[in-house]
Amino acid sequence: MNIQAGFKPTAAEAALVEAYDKQLGDLPGDGATLAARDALLSDLKTAGLPTRRIEAWHYTDLKSLLRAVPAYRDEMTASRVDPIVPGSTVLSVTNGKANLRSLQDGISVRSYADALLDGSAAERLSERDRDDAIGQINGSFVRDGLSIEFADGLEVETPIEIQSVQNCGQVSTRFPVRFGAGAKATVIERHLAVGDEAALVTSVSDVRLDDGAEITWIIFQSQGEADTHLAQFKASLGANANLRLYVINGGGKLVRQEIHVAVAGEGSNLTLRGINLLGGESHTDVTFTVGHNVPHTTSSEVIRNVVFDRAKGVFQGQIRVAPDAQKTDAKMSCNTLLLSDDADFSAKPELEIFADDVQCGHGATVIDINHTQLFYLMARGIPENKARAMLVNAFVAEIVEELEDEALVESLEGVITDWLDRHA
Amino acid sequence: MPAVQETIDQVRQIDVDQYKYGFETTVEMEKAPKGLSEDIIRFISAKKNEPDWMLEWRLGAYRRWLTLEEPAWARVNYPKIDFNDLYYYAAPKNQSGPMSIDDVDPEIIKTYEKLGIPLREQEILAGVQKSKVAVDAVFDSVSVVTTFKEELKKAGVIFMSISEAIREHPDLVKKYLGTVVPTTDNFYATLNSAVFTDGSFVFVPKGVRCPMELSTYFRINERDTGQFERTLIIAEEGAYVSYLEGCTAPQRDENQLHAAVVELVALDDAEIKYSTVQNWYPGDKDGKGGIYNFVTKRGDCRGKNSKISWTQVETGSAITWKYPSCILRGDNSRGEFYSIAVSNGHQQVDSGTKMIHLGKNTSSRIISKGIAAGVSQNTYRGQVSTHRKAENARNFTQCDSLLIGDRCGAHTVPYIEAKNSTSHFEHEATTSKISEDQLFYCLQRGIPEEAAIALIVNGFVKEVIQELPMEFAVEAQKLISISLEGSVG
């Protein structure tokens, strides 16, 4: 398998191709799966990684930003940590290997490696969107993950934490999750690193909400300072389904978190809340698309970004209303606190509307801390750094408080305060 | 709003799918052979009696153009343009440049009269219009006449066609031409640099407030031609000028290309106000014909405290690809962009602005109102960016879209790029249809539906209309209601 003539791969592109050739022998999968993997990788060989000329990657030129690809290291180990919300049921994936355990009746958990081996994953693996570099890399290299199914009508009180712990090297995981009709649950998808050396993590969550399901899904990413994290969350919503999605980024060196939601059933609703805590020399890109494909659906998105140091943040959000998707109500806002002169934030909130009887809007702001508020606190004897920390905290915590579950709110606020204490 | 009643009358009078300025003028034309080559560029340059440096400049641009690819990122679809199947030069016979009004072909004068643009100064003074407006009339590839030149000259203002300026004021042209939109800028601007045929040149010297409104009226008349005009406006320290641009074309089944470049330069404390009412032929109700309008407009606030303001009313053209921008280089400079883009039938509009904040304490304001009807697609695409050193940059952006009918599309694509902590950006956008409550309120009071829509739309765009000079505001209001003709029901 040679790289095509005329195309000069970067070091990272060459390393990815080489890694594939090296791992090919022990990547799980039947014939169909392997064929799908080959097809995905051959695209990478011909086109390379996306550059800023590709509109979907306008602010994240992966070709130049991805400098190196750490080698796959089978010998490394990692062990699970305590869940964010005490008492959660933990399903852990350590260094890319799923640790299976059986849960209560009505929840079936399988290893994704099995689906690769029996070929049932192949079809979904080869389905990919335009400019889908993450799907492409993940699909080529994915070894394991969890396939989870929630039975119709099942209501789960305790949060379930899918915990992916990584210790250096390379890992690609997938999480196909189906919530049956009317199911209710809270899932925390958590990515963290324990090693000091760089890791390349790719992860795809492929979620389906059947009619009337009511789900809270929280993604919390706290990779190491040298890590690359390329993740995708895809969801499709059935009629009257309600997805509350929280995405919190607080780590990594190069992060791209894509969120693609198809609001495909009448009466369904998406609530997206994002918190990006950015510091150091990191580059974090949250790219979101929501497709309102049928009439009478709603969505609301609020993204709050806090940017310190020399960090660079990106938010691309697109609300798409299909022809005939009348009575859509969609609102998106993206607010950024830029706290350093070397920090950088770019936003591209898009509306793409093909139906007339809709209410759609977006707002975006980029500002510094409000000086009147700062003055107010300082006038009451609070030192400046503390006052600033309070205001920053209030700016993001506001969003977390929308979750009514007290244990959840408390745990997430703890995580945010921890991060701010370390950076502010 | 006195114009409202007028708007309603206008709506009643005119049938669906009628473009008022679609007539053709029969006048003997002289054309360059079809196609584009270095020879054609030499031909154009020779026709215009240009100095050698200008020819070299054009040829440099042409060679660069050959290496460029047509941009494909805009949300517009059209069949591939064969750039070798166009006439790049077409001028009325015996008219290779502006001349005295008595020598101009009466047919052409009649054409402008029909368009409501009086070219005879005495007629203008006869009292039809309240305020004086100097006009540069461009007919296909040449400027046919420029009015009030003498009076402007007394004030020190130079207002003439760019071809004349290249001959008469080569130093000024050389100093500023291509400094805002370089010949390497983009596909269409580079093409324009190679083949531009005419346009206006305005120079307002230090401390002068231009005594009247200046305007250019562009008319495409000939078949199979492309119009490539180039406008250069310079306001020296403390100068002020308000400039208006209007455009129309005959109604034809074929598509015609219009690729213009406009460059504005504002030095310390200068202000330029540039207003456009763009009403090129939009094509018929089935999307046949119409002008492809691919325009690069950019203003450079080069000096401290300078200000550039763009106001545009876009109702015509089959395809609009246009982003009037401001480079806010001088400290405390200000950029403004007010836009109304109306699309109906099969029109496609991809328009917006760029505000590039480079200097300290720079501010910008963007108000964009898009109205989509029929099966048209209307996109706002804009960029606001700050440089790391542009302390205290401020931007406010508001883009609202109104949808009339369920087969059209309205899109908003803003790019917001902040690179320092003192910049302060606010952006908001909304998309909705005409509120049923408002419509019901009007209908209940006996206002027919179409008139009610015109009334509501006029209210929607009022913020922008207010920015237009008086003479234009009335015309623009009429235009908007005409463009929306037939969009009800």
Side-chain angles (χ1 to χ4, degrees):
Chain A
M1 300 219 289
N2 291 317
I3 288 167
Q4 281 214 339
F7 168 69
K8 281 203 192 92
T10 61
E13 283 164 349
L16 282 171
V17 173
E18 196 191 301
Y20 185 74
D21 289 347
K22 227 184 233 170
Q23 293 176 42
L24 195 57
D26 59 1
L27 286 174
D30 68 341
T33 308
L34 289 178
R37 288 184 192 276
D38 274 350
L40 291 172
L41 197 91
S42 85
D43 279 6
L44 180 70
K45 280 191 199 172
T46 43
L49 293 169
T51 65
R52 61 171 294 139
R53 298 188 74 87
I54 309 273
E55 188 59 29
W57 293 81
H58 188 70
Y59 291 112
T60 301
D61 188 318
L62 196 60
K63 199 184 191 81
S64 63
L65 287 170
L66 188 67
R67 294 281 170 77
V69 174
Y72 175 73
R73 291 160 76 175
D74 199 31
E75 79 285 3
M76 299 305 281
T77 54
S79 42
R80 51 161 285 195
V81 298
D82 289 337
I84 295 179
V85 183
S88 304
T89 311
V90 177
L91 286 169
S92 66
V93 179
T94 47
N95 261 20
K97 295 188 191 77
N99 307 304
L100 290 181
R101 56 179 286 200
S102 54
L103 303 184
Q104 71 185 88
D105 278 353
I107 308 179
S108 92
V109 183
R110 279 177 76 205
S111 139
Y112 183 68
D114 290 348
L116 288 166
L117 284 167
D118 68 21
S120 56
E123 194 186 336
R124 202 74 178 121
L125 208 59
S126 43
E127 264 176 36
R128 62 188 188 102
D129 304 325
R130 226 157 54 99
D131 311 323
D132 185 2
I134 295 177
Q136 190 180 342
I137 299 172
N138 180 277
S140 307
F141 291 96
V142 63
R143 284 168 180 263
D144 206 352
L146 295 162
S147 309
I148 310 174
E149 292 214 14
F150 290 73
D152 289 355
L154 182 73
E155 293 187 19
V156 189
E157 294 275 327
T158 327
I160 294 171
E161 178 169 313
I162 300 174
Q163 189 183 92
S164 179
V165 193
Q166 184 58 21
N167 182 5
C168 322
Q170 231 180 62
V171 65
S172 291
T173 46
R174 264 193 198 226
F175 302 99
V177 180
R178 189 181 76 85
F179 296 97
K184 285 185 185 159
T186 298
V187 175
I188 299 165
E189 176 190 338
R190 184 176 177 196
H191 296 271
L192 72 155
V194 291
D196 298 325
E197 285 172 61
L200 169 68
V201 177
T202 80
S203 179
V204 174
S205 304
D206 197 348
V207 178
R208 201 178 99 195
L209 271 66
D210 285 348
D211 295 356
E214 280 183 32
I215 304 303
T216 300
W217 186 289
I218 295 160
I219 299 176
F220 177 56
Q221 178 273 114
S222 59
Q223 299 284 168
E225 274 175 22
D227 294 354
T228 300
H229 182 80
L230 304 174
Q232 217 169 47
F233 175 90
K234 296 191 281 193
S236 97
L237 272 52
N240 300 314
N242 191 349
L243 174 64
R244 200 149 60 152
L245 177 64
Y246 273 68
V247 179
I248 303 169
N249 279 301
K253 164 125 181 102
L254 171 59
V255 177
R256 163 102 166 179
Q257 171 74 57
E258 290 182 9
I259 301 155
H260 302 295
V261 180
V263 182
E266 287 200 21
S268 55
N269 170 59
L270 166 73
T271 305
L272 169 69
R273 298 291 179 262
I275 295 173
N276 293 306
L277 305 167
L278 313 179
E281 303 253 334
S282 62
H283 177 108
T284 304
D285 174 336
V286 174
T287 292
F288 161 75
T289 62
V290 57
H292 288 271
N293 301 331
V294 293
H296 297 281
T297 59
T298 53
S299 78
S300 107
E301 296 83 24
V302 179
I303 310 290
R304 293 277 160 93
N305 311 290
V306 181
V307 196
F308 289 93
D309 310 329
R310 301 178 61 81
K312 183 172 165 57
V314 176
F315 173 69
Q316 304 188 96
Q318 187 187 62
I319 296 174
R320 188 173 185 282
V321 178
D324 303 323
Q326 303 294 6
K327 305 285 178 196
T328 294
D329 191 333
K331 286 181 184 61
M332 172 161 69
S333 80
C334 172
N335 311 109
T336 304
L337 272 186
L338 212 51
L339 295 163
S340 143
D341 275 340
D342 297 317
D344 184 323
F345 196 87
S346 302
K348 188 175 74 174
E350 279 180 69
L351 295 175
E352 195 178 299
I353 307 204
F354 292 98
D356 68 333
D357 194 0
V358 300
Q359 288 284 352
C360 293
H362 68 226
T365 58
V366 181
I367 47 165
D368 192 3
I369 279 182
N370 184 321
H371 290 273
T372 325
Q373 290 172 359
L374 194 64
F375 177 78
Y376 180 92
L377 291 173
M378 285 169 69
R380 272 145 191 82
I382 299 167
E384 185 180 345
N385 57 349
K386 187 122 194 269
R388 289 181 81 93
M390 279 172 76
L391 291 171
V392 174
N393 206 332
F395 176 71
V396 288
E398 194 183 11
I399 289 187
V400 174
E401 276 155 20
E402 284 180 36
L403 290 161
E404 294 99 26
D405 186 323
E406 254 175 62
L408 207 53
V409 171
E410 209 171 293
S411 310
L412 292 179
E413 281 186 342
V415 162
I416 291 164
T417 312
D418 270 3
W419 192 95
L420 290 173
D421 285 349
R422 274 181 288 126
H423 288 82
Chain B
M1 282 203 304
V4 172
Q5 186 52 46
E6 233 172 306
T7 307
I8 297 165
D9 295 343
Q10 202 81 25
V11 170
R12 285 210 192 96
Q13 275 168 24
I14 293 162
D15 286 336
V16 175
D17 186 30
Q18 193 166 4
Y19 180 69
K20 194 166 130 189
Y21 308 105
F23 62 88
E24 204 169 329
T25 309
T26 323
V27 47
E28 237 186 307
M29 297 294 279
E30 184 186 9
K31 286 188 279 196
K34 251 188 190 176
L36 182 55
S37 66
E38 293 203 5
D39 286 343
I40 293 288
I41 292 165
R42 281 174 214 282
F43 173 88
I44 294 172
S45 190
K47 269 278 161 205
K48 305 258 166 204
N49 276 326
E50 284 176 358
D52 285 346
W53 62 267
M54 198 60 231
L55 175 63
E56 282 312 311
W57 197 80
R58 287 173 179 276
L59 289 173
Y62 175 68
R63 286 169 200 142
R64 172 81 186 192
W65 180 74
L66 291 173
T67 68
L68 296 178
E69 270 176 49
E70 219 174 315
W73 43 261
R75 179 183 280 285
V76 291
N77 289 306
Y78 53 92
K80 210 162 168 40
I81 299 169
D82 182 354
F83 288 93
N84 273 316
D85 196 29
L86 293 177
Y87 292 107
Y88 286 84
Y89 181 86
K93 228 172 193 158
N94 308 323
Q95 175 122 26
S96 56
M99 44 179 70
S100 140
I101 188 80
D102 302 323
D103 301 331
V104 174
D105 190 323
E107 276 299 314
I108 294 174
I109 295 181
K110 242 188 251 166
T111 302
Y112 284 93
E113 271 166 15
K114 256 168 140 177
L115 295 170
I117 314 291
L119 295 182
R120 290 183 194 276
E121 291 179 18
Q122 60 271 34
E123 282 172 17
I124 304 168
L125 296 172
V128 188
Q129 288 187 321
K130 281 183 211 93
S131 61
K132 266 189 279 180
V133 179
V135 180
D136 181 22
V138 178
F139 194 80
D140 286 325
S141 298
V142 288
S143 163
V144 287
V145 74
T146 310
T147 60
F148 292 110
K149 266 170 91 166
E150 289 308 311
E151 194 174 333
L152 287 166
K153 207 171 173 183
K154 275 182 218 148
V157 176
I158 304 172
F159 179 45
M160 55 174 60
S161 78
I162 193 130
S163 314
E164 280 177 287
I166 290 168
R167 291 191 299 269
E168 292 175 28
H169 302 281
D171 295 345
L172 278 177
V173 175
K174 218 170 169 176
K175 185 171 172 194
Y176 291 105
L177 189 71
T179 60
V180 186
V181 180
T183 55
T184 52
D185 196 78
N186 70 67
F187 186 82
Y188 296 111
T190 305
L191 176 64
N192 175 287
S193 302
V195 302
F196 75 85
T197 42
D198 227 326
S200 305
F201 175 81
V202 178
F203 177 83
V204 188
K206 198 168 171 175
V208 172
R209 190 178 168 90
C210 189
M212 62 182 92
E213 305 261 354
L214 304 184
S215 88
T216 303
Y217 200 91
F218 295 101
R219 174 80 179 166
I220 296 181
N221 186 56
E222 195 55 31
R223 210 169 269 280
D224 292 330
T225 52
Q227 191 180 50
F228 302 91
E229 94 260 359
R230 184 121 193 160
T231 298
L232 177 59
I233 300 178
I234 302 139
E236 278 201 328
E237 290 84 351
Y240 169 86
V241 60
S242 166
Y243 181 91
L244 328 169
E245 178 200 287
C247 6
T248 55
Q251 198 161 347
R252 289 216 180 88
D253 284 350
E254 61 185 70
N255 295 104
Q256 281 182 287
L257 179 65
H258 174 256
V261 171
V262 175
E263 296 178 279
L264 312 183
V265 179
L267 301 182
D268 290 0
D269 306 304
E271 181 177 346
I272 302 176
K273 185 173 169 59
Y274 193 106
S275 316
T276 309
V277 173
Q278 186 266 103
N279 188 23
W280 294 117
Y281 176 55
D284 68 6
K285 63 178 190 305
D286 302 316
K288 211 164 179 203
I291 302 287
Y292 292 165
N293 191 25
F294 300 129
V295 177
T296 306
K297 290 185 170 178
R298 197 172 301 153
D300 189 353
C301 286
R302 213 164 272 186
K304 282 181 291 191
N305 309 319
S306 54
K307 178 177 169 186
I308 288 179
S309 157
W310 296 99
T311 307
Q312 61 172 22
V313 177
E314 301 280 316
T315 57
S317 295
I319 296 175
T320 304
W321 180 97
K322 174 179 176 188
Y323 314 90
S325 309
C326 295
I327 301 168
L328 303 169
R329 203 184 298 275
D331 291 349
N332 313 325
S333 59
R334 177 164 175 84
E336 289 175 358
F337 175 75
Y338 300 96
S339 167
I340 301 170
V342 185
S343 59
N344 199 353
H346 288 259
Q347 280 178 281
Q348 304 174 55
V349 181
D350 195 305
S351 183
T353 184
K354 279 185 183 186
M355 293 290 172
I356 315 287
H357 294 259
L358 302 176
K360 293 185 175 62
N361 307 318
T362 48
S363 61
S364 60
R365 179 178 164 89
I366 300 170
I367 307 285
S368 166
K369 306 277 180 182
I371 301 165
V375 288
S376 66
Q377 298 296 327
N378 200 323
T379 305
Y380 167 83
R381 189 184 302 276
Q383 181 186 21
V384 177
S385 76
T386 48
H387 188 265
R388 225 165 261 292
K389 300 219 168 81
E391 284 169 29
N392 295 317
R394 290 282 179 274
N395 166 264
F396 174 77
T397 302
Q398 186 184 346
C399 16
D400 298 327
S401 308
L402 195 63
L403 290 158
I404 302 176
D406 60 359
R407 305 263 48 104
C408 50
H411 319 291
T412 317
V413 191
Y415 296 75
I416 302 155
E417 300 163 11
K419 290 199 168 65
N420 70 59
S421 67
T422 49
S423 49
H424 192 138
F425 288 178
E426 289 168 89
H427 169 100
E428 59 183 61
T430 61
T431 303
S432 57
K433 72 168 190 173
I434 288 179
S435 134
E436 271 165 33
D437 292 351
Q438 287 174 6
L439 199 59
F440 177 75
Y441 183 91
C442 295
L443 291 175
Q444 205 202 20
R445 272 149 190 78
I447 302 171
E449 192 174 359
E450 210 149 82
I453 288 182
L455 183 75
I456 294 167
V457 168
N458 267 328
F460 176 73
V461 299
K462 201 172 141 200
E463 243 178 306
V464 176
I465 295 275
Q466 280 169 342
E467 295 297 324
L468 284 170
M470 190 54 191
E471 298 79 6
F472 262 30
V474 178
E475 192 190 334
Q477 233 157 4
K478 282 187 208 162
L479 264 179
I480 290 163
S481 43
I482 293 165
S483 301
L484 291 173
E485 264 304 286
S487 56
V488 182

